[in-house]
Amino acid sequence: MIRRAAPEDAQRLTSLVRTSGAYRGPYAAMVAGYDVTPEYVSRHEVFAAVGTGNRILGFYALILAPPELDLAFVADDAQGTGVGRLLMEHMLTRAGEAGLSEVRVIAHPPAEPFYRRMGAERVGMSPPIPPKVIWERPELRFALP
């Protein structure tokens, strides 16, 4: 089930970000100390995929102006089960309902193939933002009908 995230979910969303296996090794600095705050959840379009026992399996955060997929995470043990696809389909539906014509994504480099499978096209590269992000990141766009 996908539901709107609530401010009280913020700590669980933060935990999902900080424990992501995709951000180990050289990428660890990017999520170290990162917080998804209750205010952030209240202010943006944040939706969570929830499994049994109300466990959050993944989430995304869509910023409407300017249109950008700001965050998207799936729990390590839920990857490959279709949760990410469901979240992206939901995000694109929400973006369309909001009247957006496109959604920008500055992707974590290992996630680019996933976004491309979901229909995003690479439009460039985003430069590093030291000290936490010391690598270039693919910039992609989802075009909406």
Side-chain angles (χ1 to χ4, degrees):
M1 171 179 104
I2 297 180
R3 65 164 171 80
R4 183 81 186 237
E8 54 269 18
D9 293 322
Q11 186 53 50
R12 291 193 295 160
L13 301 178
T14 294
S15 178
L16 208 125
V17 169
R18 289 186 186 178
T19 61
S20 173
Y23 286 88
R24 292 194 180 112
Y27 298 119
M30 188 168 176
V31 297
Y34 190 90
D35 285 318
V36 179
T37 66
E39 295 78 21
Y40 180 91
V41 174
S42 295
R43 190 171 58 247
H44 300 296
E45 298 271 322
V46 182
F47 285 85
V50 181
T52 56
N54 202 31
R55 178 177 175 234
I56 294 179
L57 302 173
F59 77 98
Y60 74 83
L62 175 64
I63 296 175
L64 297 178
E68 182 171 357
L69 178 63
D70 189 42
L71 298 170
F73 284 85
V74 174
D76 290 351
D77 65 345
Q79 291 181 15
T81 66
V83 171
R85 176 177 290 282
L86 287 172
L87 287 167
M88 289 303 100
E89 289 170 352
H90 190 274
M91 182 274 298
L92 292 169
T93 298
R94 289 292 300 144
E97 291 169 353
L100 303 179
S101 60
E102 66 180 21
V103 175
R104 175 182 183 225
V105 180
I106 302 297
H108 180 48
E112 180 180 10
F114 168 76
Y115 290 120
R116 293 185 65 152
R117 283 193 308 274
M118 297 300 103
E121 293 183 17
R122 184 193 253 196
V123 295
M125 292 297 286
S126 182
I129 306 170
K132 287 195 168 208
V133 181
I134 57 172
W135 55 89
E136 287 187 319
R137 294 161 296 150
E139 181 176 348
L140 304 120
R141 293 222 194 290
F142 284 104
L144 296 160

